[in-house]
Amino acid sequence: MRTISARQTGIIIFLTILANKILLLPSIMYQQTKADSIFGILVIFFVELLILSIFLYVKLKFPNENLQEILQKKIGHFCAKFIIFIFLIFFLFKTMLTYSVVYVYLKDLVYQDEFGFLAIVCFLPVVNHGVICGLRSISRTFELFFYLVIAGILFCFGIAFFTEISMPVFFTANPLTIFNTSFKYLFSFGDYLVLFVFIEKINLKKNDVKKFLRFVILGILIVSSIFVIFYAKYQITAFMHNNALADLLVFSVQFNAIGRLDIVAMLTIMTLGLFQLEIFQYAFCESFSMVFTKLNNKFAIAVFDILFFVIYFILIGKYELMINFTTSYLCYFSLLSNFLLPFIIFAVSFSKNKRIKNKGVRDEKSN
C-alpha cells in the first residue's frame, strides 16, 4: 500500500485547520462576541485536540487497518457503515461550504460578477483529477506549495502592520454568548476527521508524533493570529469585512512603486481553497467506497459531482442560504460528526473482537 509520511500528513492537517476560518469566520463571529471570538475558537481548538489524540491512539493501536475494518470487527457491519456514512455527509457539505466562501471572495474582489457555473466547471476537473491520482500525489503537491502558502500568509501579516492597528478590546461578551456563538459556527471545524478516513494510508509511528504536531500547532497559531490582527485592525467595522486574510491588506494595497499587493492574498487564498477542496472530496470518495464497497473510486467521483451540482444549484443555490443552513442545522450535525463519532470510535477500540474471544474459548475447551 502506498502511504504518506508524518510530514505530509501534518501538511494536510495544516490545510484543513485553515479551511473556512481565515476569510468569513472572523467577521461573522465578531457580530455576536466582538474580539472575544478569539476565546471561542481557542476553546474549540482545545477540545479538538482531544479528537486528535483519539486518532493518534487508534492509529498506533491499529497501524495497518482502515476505519471500516476496525469498526466492523468491533461493532458489526451495519453500525460501521452508518458511522462512515455520517462522515460522508460531513465531507460533502464541508466541500460545499469551502467552495462557497472562496467563490464569494473571488466574485466580490476579482471578477465582480456572477460566474458560479463557470467556477464549478473550472474547479471540478482539477479536483477530480487530484482525487483520481490518489492521496500520495495530492500530499506531494501540498508539500511542494507549502512554503509558498506560508510566505503568502506571513506577507499579509507583515503588510497589515504598515497601517494603524491597536490592541483589540477583550472581555466584552459574557461566557454564554461566546459559547452560543462558537456552537453556531461549529461546522467550520472538524479538522481532524479526514485522518480517520484514510488512517491506514498514514505512515505514523511514535517517534513521528512530534513532527506531526508541529504542523497542527502552526495551523492553530496562524488562525489565531489572523483573528487577533484582524480585530486589531478593524475594532469597530470588522463585521463589514468578510474576507479576513485579504482584508488585512485593505488601505495598504499600494506600496510605493510596487503597485497592488492584494494579488498575494488572492493567490494564497486560491491555492489554499483548491487544496482544501481536493482533500475534502478525497475524504468523501474514500468514505463512499467504504460504504458502497462494490463501487470504485471513479463512481464515487461521479456521484460527488452530481450531488454537488444538485445541492448547490437546486437545493441551496445562494451563498446566504448556504451560510444560514450551516449555522442553523449543520452545527447540530457537527456535534455528531465532529465529537460524538470520534469518541465512539475511541470507546469501541477498547472492546475485544468477539470472534477472537469465542475462538479462544473453543481452543481452551479442545485442550
Side-chain angles (χ1 to χ4, degrees):
M1 180 184 297
R2 307 182 74 182
T3 60
I4 60 175
S5 65
R7 172 183 169 81
Q8 292 169 335
T9 307
I11 293 175
I12 289 175
I13 288 305
F14 170 81
L15 293 170
T16 61
I17 290 175
L18 266 59
N20 306 312
K21 302 181 188 70
I22 63 174
L23 287 177
L24 179 64
L25 190 63
S27 174
I28 55 178
M29 290 187 70
Y30 184 87
Q31 297 178 26
Q32 284 83 35
T33 54
K34 307 300 180 184
D36 291 335
S37 301
I38 184 66
F39 300 128
I41 67 162
L42 288 177
V43 170
I44 299 177
F45 277 140
F46 176 78
V47 175
E48 287 210 321
L49 287 177
L50 299 178
I51 308 301
L52 178 61
S53 64
I54 290 175
F55 162 77
L56 292 174
Y57 171 81
V58 175
K59 173 60 184 177
L60 295 176
K61 186 174 182 179
F62 306 98
N64 300 316
E65 298 181 74
N66 64 26
L67 182 61
Q68 184 183 22
E69 294 170 344
I70 295 170
L71 293 176
Q72 281 185 354
K73 288 180 181 179
K74 304 297 182 179
I75 56 177
H77 183 77
F78 175 79
C79 292
K81 288 199 171 185
F82 175 78
I83 290 176
I84 298 172
F85 183 77
I86 297 298
F87 285 156
L88 181 151
I89 299 299
F90 173 83
F91 293 124
L92 173 63
F93 283 100
K94 192 77 169 179
T95 309
M96 296 184 62
L97 177 62
T98 304
Y99 168 81
S100 298
V101 173
V102 176
Y103 165 74
V104 169
Y105 162 73
L106 294 175
K107 180 178 75 68
D108 291 343
L109 299 183
V110 182
Y111 289 91
Q112 298 181 352
D113 197 3
E114 291 289 345
F115 68 110
F117 183 80
L118 177 62
I120 292 182
V121 170
C122 291
F123 99 84
L124 272 182
V126 177
V127 175
N128 290 345
H129 179 265
V131 175
I132 292 174
C133 290
L135 183 62
R136 195 169 183 180
S137 297
I138 293 175
S139 62
R140 284 179 174 177
T141 306
F142 293 170
E143 196 173 15
L144 180 65
F145 284 89
F146 174 71
Y147 289 109
L148 292 176
V149 169
I150 293 294
I153 294 173
L154 294 180
F155 179 84
C156 294
F157 286 175
I159 296 299
F161 287 98
F162 281 94
T163 58
E164 183 178 353
I165 61 174
S166 57
M167 190 66 182
V169 179
F170 295 111
F171 307 110
T172 60
N174 62 67
L176 181 60
T177 304
I178 295 174
F179 173 81
N180 291 334
T181 302
S182 301
F183 172 76
K184 189 176 181 181
Y185 302 106
L186 198 59
F187 191 75
S188 296
F189 294 82
D191 306 322
Y192 310 116
L193 295 186
V194 294
L195 298 176
F196 289 93
V197 176
F198 47 79
I199 185 172
E200 80 284 2
K201 298 179 181 178
I202 300 172
N203 185 13
L204 186 67
K205 300 178 181 178
K206 285 186 177 180
N207 55 354
D208 294 327
V209 172
K210 289 184 179 179
K211 184 189 302 183
F212 169 75
L213 290 178
R214 291 194 192 110
F215 293 96
V216 174
I217 295 172
L218 178 62
I220 293 174
L221 287 176
I222 285 180
V223 172
S224 303
S225 299
I226 289 175
F227 270 73
V228 173
I229 298 173
F230 179 73
Y231 293 150
K233 188 178 178 71
Y234 304 106
Q235 294 199 18
I236 300 176
T237 61
F239 67 94
M240 299 173 60
H241 300 270
N242 295 329
N243 305 294
L245 181 62
D247 287 336
L248 294 181
L249 300 178
V250 173
F251 307 125
S252 58
V253 293
Q254 292 188 356
F255 190 78
N256 293 335
I258 300 176
R260 296 184 63 87
L261 298 178
D262 51 352
I263 186 67
V264 177
M266 183 192 71
L267 292 176
T268 302
I269 292 169
M270 289 177 64
T271 304
L272 281 171
L274 181 61
F275 289 163
Q276 289 159 357
L277 290 171
E278 279 192 5
I279 197 62
F280 290 140
Q281 183 177 345
Y282 180 85
F284 170 90
C285 293
E286 285 292 299
S287 303
F288 186 92
S289 299
M290 285 188 283
V291 174
F292 305 98
T293 53
K294 294 184 179 180
L295 302 177
N296 58 27
N297 203 37
K298 293 181 179 179
F299 194 91
I301 293 173
V303 170
F304 174 86
D305 292 348
I306 294 172
L307 287 176
F308 192 94
F309 270 99
V310 170
I311 295 175
Y312 190 82
F313 283 108
I314 298 178
L315 299 182
I316 296 178
K318 292 184 178 181
Y319 169 74
E320 293 79 7
L321 292 178
M322 181 68 210
I323 300 301
N324 290 334
F325 181 72
T326 301
T327 56
S328 300
Y329 301 102
L330 291 181
C331 56
Y332 296 98
F333 179 80
S334 300
L335 289 176
L336 174 64
S337 61
N338 298 14
F339 302 106
L340 182 59
L341 291 188
F343 278 103
I344 291 176
I345 295 172
F346 177 67
V348 301
S349 66
F350 285 100
S351 63
K352 294 183 178 180
N353 188 351
K354 292 183 179 180
R355 198 175 298 173
I356 295 176
K357 184 177 179 180
N358 293 336
K359 182 180 178 181
V361 172
R362 289 196 299 268
D363 290 341
E364 289 179 1
K365 291 182 178 180
S366 62
N367 291 334

